[in-house]
Each structure stands twice: as structure tokens, then as C-alpha cells.
């Protein structure tokens, strides 16, 4: 007898909403703001105001019972970062005024995103916002329109075209640019023999501006060069109903066409829901996953996907805190990671694992980038002058990622990745080989 389809769908519905809330994989909408280059920016005076937004993941985890490492006292972590900045000259000579705001992901909607933006840009009058998990299409445009810098600590699919459209306001201090990621993902899968003997591959992709651009202009041509037909399963991510309908149809199409290789472009919601609806159809293709799909979550919560769904899974990873256990990568393992742990350690804050530090590391990356670029600004201090300085930080390394990719044309800090493979004996995902630079 096959799986109880209704039970699987009900369980996956809870999972899908929680994956969105807990891990914040989504996409951005494009609306740019004016590049005000004259005078100080909002939130810049005697101090530099920066708002840190933290999702209330502990409450969600308590309700669902999902296994997540305790991220600790996020407000205390923000205070530790403020203390470190101010003990080391502030931001461009001005004290950092860090404001902590907790955001309830269960109530996420365009209206609540607009309200949060209003609070940060109008009530707080902040120079910058460090965002974690703000997924609605109106979020980033709101900050750009109000000349407010966004240091994005969310695993969202943001390509170079999007960064440039929002310039100088949108930056990712911890994760990679998306089009380079897509190219690296496909080339790695090809090198690892994932496509060997196949004429077609299923691609589950979020139906939005960024993914349309990356998939149609980049992924499909790359797959074609490898002799593969890309069967695209476009998924409308507007709500849970459309998410399930799109994934269910993709699984049905792939199964009917006997496609046994499926990769994802678009975020954690797609992989989690696809695995559930595919299992309900007794369809278990070999999956290609990445950090955007938060593979560690499935390992920590084995009931969310049938074990067969992970067998042979392979891809690329760039976010160790949500990819692999500490037994597979010493913690800390980079200069940036060590620096961040020392900053928190000076305030008496420690972490039992890298996963427990997953939010703290991204907060630290945002703070480090804010300060390093801010210290190079001379004259008026605003998003434009700060961005000009940030583009010179070619050696900036992300503590939450690998390598460095900042430079004259880059807005995303993570510069490299590793091969990621599921090990059934562990069971867990493991990295293989050395760091490889994103294209």
C-alpha cells in the first residue's frame, strides 16, 4: 500500500510554512530607489542607527516540535556587536546605535512587511536594516525607495541584475550571487556524473522574476550544452495552495516522462514540498540540493521527508551552519568565523555548535561589512558613499560562507562553495574536496 496522500500533504503543509518561516528562502521583487549621494543618509548623525530584525524561530519550533539548535539570545548578540564596534572606533568615527526588533514569521504578509519597513525607516529612521527572513515582494523595494541600506542575512535568490537594480541599497554579506550559484550548481553536477546517461532533467523552479531570468537565460542553455532537455516545473510561490499545486504537477509530469533526476532553483520551500508530494506518488528521483534548500534541516528532522528522498542526493554547499554537522567541518574553520566567535566570546556568549550560531554569524557578517566599509567613507555618510567604499573590500570574508567575492561589481560576499553529498551511513550531508570559486 502506498503512502497516505492526504496525511503527507497535511504534514507537508505545516512543514512548508515553517521552512519559509525558519529558514527564509525566497526571492526578491525589483523596484529601485533614488541614489542620494549628497549629505548624510537617514539615521546618520551623532551615531549610525542600524536595525537588526530577528525571526522568532524559537516559538515556532516549540509549537511544531521541529529539531533546531537553539540560536541563543539574539538581542544579547546584537548588543555584543554594538559594543565591539564602539570599542573599536565606531562606524566611520560615529558610534553604532543598534536597534533590535523581533519579527513573528507566522504573521508574515505584505501588510506586515510594509509595517516593519515603516517602523524601521520612519519610526527608527535607520541608516540600515539587517534582515532575516523577510520574504514578501514589497520588502526590499520599500527600503530602497526610502534610501535605507539593506544588509540581507536571508538565504534569498538574488542575482546580479537585481543587486544592480536596487543599487546602492541591497547587499548580502554572507551568501553568494544567484546566477553564479546556478552556473556552479550545474557544472558541479555534470562533473560529478549526476547527468550521466540522461537525456532530460527535471528542474523545479520558483516562478518569479529572478528565477525566470536565471533559469531561462542561464540554466536552460547550460543544460542544453550538456545535451539535456530541461523539463521545467514552474511553481507559483504566492501561497500554500499554489506551492502545492505547482510541485504536485511537476512531480506528476516528471514521473510520467520517466525523469529520475530533479534539481531545485528557488529555495527551501520547493525541495520540502516536492519531496512530500513526490513520495505520495511513489516517485523518488535522485535529488540535487544546495544550501538554498537547507539540507541540514531534513537530516535533523527525518520525519519531514521519506528517507528514500535523500538517497544519492548531491549538490553544492556554501553555508556550513545549515549544510553539515561540526564533525564534518571544525568549528570555527575560517579567520572570519574565528573573529566573530571572539567578538561574542568577549561578551560571554558561546555556541554549542555552528548550527546554533547560524543567525549570529550572519549578524556578525553584516556588522563587520558595515564597519569595514563605513571606516573608509570620507565626507558625507550615506548609502552611495558607503557602497563605493564597500566595493573596495575585495578581501572581506564571510563567516557564514566560504571565500570572498566583494569587489567593484559585486554586492554579495560569499565567493566559493564545496561539493555537497548525502551520506546514508552518517546519516548527514558531507562536503567533499576544497573550496571552488563561484564563476
Amino acid at each position: 500500500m502506498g503512502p497516505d496522500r492526504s496525511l503527507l500533504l497535511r504534514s507537508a503543509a505545516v512543514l512548508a510554512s515553517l521552512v519559509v518561516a525558519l529558514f527564509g528562502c525566497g526571492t526578491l521583487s525589483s523596484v529601485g530607489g533614488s541614489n542620494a549621494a549628497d549629505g548624510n543618509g537617514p539615521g546618520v548623525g551623532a551615531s549610525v542607527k542600524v536595525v537588526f530584525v530577528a525571526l522568532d524561530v524559537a516559538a515556532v519550533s516549540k509549537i511544531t516540535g521541529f529539531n533546531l539548535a537553539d540560536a541563543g539570545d539574539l538581542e544579547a548578540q546584537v548588543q555584543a556587536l554594538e559594543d565591539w564596534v564602539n570599542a573599536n572606533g565606531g562606524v566611520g568615527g560615529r558610534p553604532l546605535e543598534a536597534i533590535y526588533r523581533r519579527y513573528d514569521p507566522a504573521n508574515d504578509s505584505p501588510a506586515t512587511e510594509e509595517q516593519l519597513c515603516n517602523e524601521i525607516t520612519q519610526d527608527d529612521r535607520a541608516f540600515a536594516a539587517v534582515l532575516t527572513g523577510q520574504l514578501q515582494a514589497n520588502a526590499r523595494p520599500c527600503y530602497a525607495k526610502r534610501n535605507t541600506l539593506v544588509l540581507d542575512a536571508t538565504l534569498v535568490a538574488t542575482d546580479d541584475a537585481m543587486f544592480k537594480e536596487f543599487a546602492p541599497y541591497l547587499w548580502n554579506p554572507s551568501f553568494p550571487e544567484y546566477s553564479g550559484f546556478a552556473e556552479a550548481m550545474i557544472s558541479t553536477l555534470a562533473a560529478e556524473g549526476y547527468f550521466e546517461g540522461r537525456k532530460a532533467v527535471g528542474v523545479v523552479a520558483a516562478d518569479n522574476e529572478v528565477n525566470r531570468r536565471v533559469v531561462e537565460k542561464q540554466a536552460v542553455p547550460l543544460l542544453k550544452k550538456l545535451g539535456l532537455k530541461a523539463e521545467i516545473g514552474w511553481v507559483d510561490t504566492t501561497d500554500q495552495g499554489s506551492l502545492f499545486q505547482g510541485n504536485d504537477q511537476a512531480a506528476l509530469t516528471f514521473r510520467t516522462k520517466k525523469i529520475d533526476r530533479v534539481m531545485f532553483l528557488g529555495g527551501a520551500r520547493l525541495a520540502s514540498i516536492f519531496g512530500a508530494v513526490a513520495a505520495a506518488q511513489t516517485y523518488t528521483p535522485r535529488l540535487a540540493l544546495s544550501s538554498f534548500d537547507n539540507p541540514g534541516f531534513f537530516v535533523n528532522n527525518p520525519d519531514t521527508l521519506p528517507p528514500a528522498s535523500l538517497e544519492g542526493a548531491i549538490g553544492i554547499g556554501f553555508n556550513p551552519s545549515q549544510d553539515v554537522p561540526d564533525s564534518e567541518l571544525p568549528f570555527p574553520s575560517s579567520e572570519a568565523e574565528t573573529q566573530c566567535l571572539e567578538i561574542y566570546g568577549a561578551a560571554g556568549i558561546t555556541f554549542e555548535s555552528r548550527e546554533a550560531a547560524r543567525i549570529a554569524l550572519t549578524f556578525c557578517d553584516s556588522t563587520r561589512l558595515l564597519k569595514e566599509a563605513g571606516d573608509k567613507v570620507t565626507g558625507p555618510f550615506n548609502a552611495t558613499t558607503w557602497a563605493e567604499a564597500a566595493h573596495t573590500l575585495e578581501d572581506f570574508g564571510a563567516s557564514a560562507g566560504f571565500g570572498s567575492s566583494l569587489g567593484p561589481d559585486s554586492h554579495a560576499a560569499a565567493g566559493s562553495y564545496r561539493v555537497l553529498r548525502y551520506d546514508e551511513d552518517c546519516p548527514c550531508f558531507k562536503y567533499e574536496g576544497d573550496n571552488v570559486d563561484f564563476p
Side-chain angles (χ1 to χ4, degrees):
M1 181 179 295
D4 183 336
R5 182 177 179 80
S6 63
L7 176 60
L8 275 171
L9 292 178
R10 289 196 301 272
S11 300
V14 175
L15 168 64
S17 62
L18 266 298
V19 168
V20 173
L22 296 174
F23 306 109
C25 289
T27 51
L28 304 176
S29 174
S30 60
V31 176
S34 62
N35 297 350
D38 298 327
N40 290 336
V44 178
S47 64
V48 177
K49 288 186 180 181
V50 178
V51 175
F52 290 75
V53 179
L55 298 185
D56 192 355
V57 296
V60 178
S61 180
K62 184 177 180 180
I63 293 172
T64 63
F66 285 161
N67 182 25
L68 288 170
D70 185 358
D73 187 338
L74 297 176
E75 187 169 9
Q77 293 164 23
V78 169
Q79 184 61 55
L81 293 169
E82 179 190 275
D83 292 344
W84 170 74
V85 169
N86 293 338
N88 290 275
V91 180
R94 293 178 173 87
L96 170 64
E97 181 181 346
I99 300 170
Y100 177 81
R101 284 190 176 274
R102 186 175 291 275
Y103 184 79
D104 184 357
N107 296 325
D108 189 46
S109 69
T112 55
E113 292 282 16
E114 184 76 18
Q115 180 181 351
L116 179 65
C117 177
N118 288 338
E119 291 171 349
I120 291 173
T121 62
Q122 297 178 3
D123 298 344
D124 297 329
R125 290 283 296 168
F127 169 72
V130 179
L131 302 184
T132 59
Q134 278 61 62
L135 303 177
Q136 299 297 330
N138 63 324
R140 279 84 184 167
C142 180
Y143 296 98
K145 288 176 181 177
R146 296 172 185 178
N147 301 327
T148 302
L149 192 72
V150 168
L151 300 170
D152 212 339
T154 308
L155 267 171
V156 292
T158 315
D159 67 349
D160 186 58
M162 183 66 75
F163 279 120
K164 289 180 178 177
E165 187 160 3
F166 279 85
Y169 301 106
L170 181 60
W171 295 76
N172 196 318
S174 297
F175 306 127
E177 184 271 337
Y178 201 68
S179 60
F181 155 80
E183 182 176 340
M185 179 75 165
I186 292 171
S187 64
T188 298
L189 293 176
E192 294 295 321
Y194 177 79
F195 302 121
E196 188 173 343
R198 271 70 189 174
K199 295 183 179 179
V201 59
V203 180
V204 183
D207 192 359
N208 54 67
E209 181 180 356
V210 173
N211 258 11
R212 281 279 179 180
R213 181 163 54 232
V214 171
V215 172
E216 294 175 345
K217 295 183 179 180
Q218 188 169 13
V220 170
L222 287 173
L223 291 168
K224 185 176 182 180
K225 286 183 179 179
L226 295 171
L228 293 160
K229 172 178 170 37
E231 186 68 43
I232 312 297
W234 292 108
V235 180
D236 179 357
T237 60
T238 302
D239 55 44
Q240 294 301 311
S242 61
L243 276 164
F244 273 90
Q245 183 179 9
N247 275 282
D248 197 47
Q249 182 58 53
L252 178 61
T253 299
F254 299 162
R255 181 187 180 201
T256 301
K257 295 188 176 184
K258 302 185 184 306
I259 294 173
D260 65 354
R261 297 289 187 270
V262 175
M263 60 183 292
F264 300 88
L265 291 174
R269 290 176 292 182
L270 300 182
S272 62
I273 299 174
F274 182 88
V277 299
Q281 298 180 25
T282 63
Y283 173 56
T284 54
R286 187 181 177 196
L287 303 181
L289 302 170
S290 75
S291 296
F292 281 105
D293 304 304
N294 199 1
F297 176 76
F298 301 125
V299 173
N300 293 341
N301 299 274
D303 293 337
T304 57
L305 284 183
S309 296
L310 293 179
E311 291 179 6
I314 189 173
I316 65 174
F318 53 81
N319 179 20
S321 70
Q322 295 182 2
D323 287 346
V324 300
D326 291 355
S327 59
E328 297 303 315
L329 186 70
F331 178 54
S333 63
S334 69
E335 183 178 341
E337 207 171 42
T338 299
Q339 181 187 13
C340 287
L341 292 186
E342 289 176 348
I343 291 171
Y344 290 121
I349 298 172
T350 59
F351 303 93
E352 63 180 15
S353 66
R354 180 182 279 109
E355 184 190 356
R358 64 193 181 278
I359 299 174
L361 292 175
T362 60
F363 277 178
C364 182
D365 285 342
S366 294
T367 304
R368 290 169 52 239
L369 180 59
L370 176 76
K371 176 172 172 54
E372 289 189 31
D375 287 349
K376 288 179 172 286
V377 174
T378 58
F381 194 106
N382 54 56
T384 298
T385 57
W386 182 91
E388 291 171 350
H391 281 305
T392 70
L393 301 177
E394 297 185 19
D395 294 328
F396 179 85
S399 70
F402 295 129
S404 175
S405 70
L406 286 181
D409 298 315
S410 174
H411 298 78
S416 56
Y417 63 93
R418 294 187 183 181
V419 175
L420 185 69
R421 192 187 303 272
Y422 182 69
D423 185 336
E424 297 171 32
D425 294 330
C426 186
C428 63
F429 281 87
K430 295 183 177 181
Y431 287 139
E432 294 182 354
D434 297 326
N435 290 358
V436 181
D437 290 343
F438 283 107

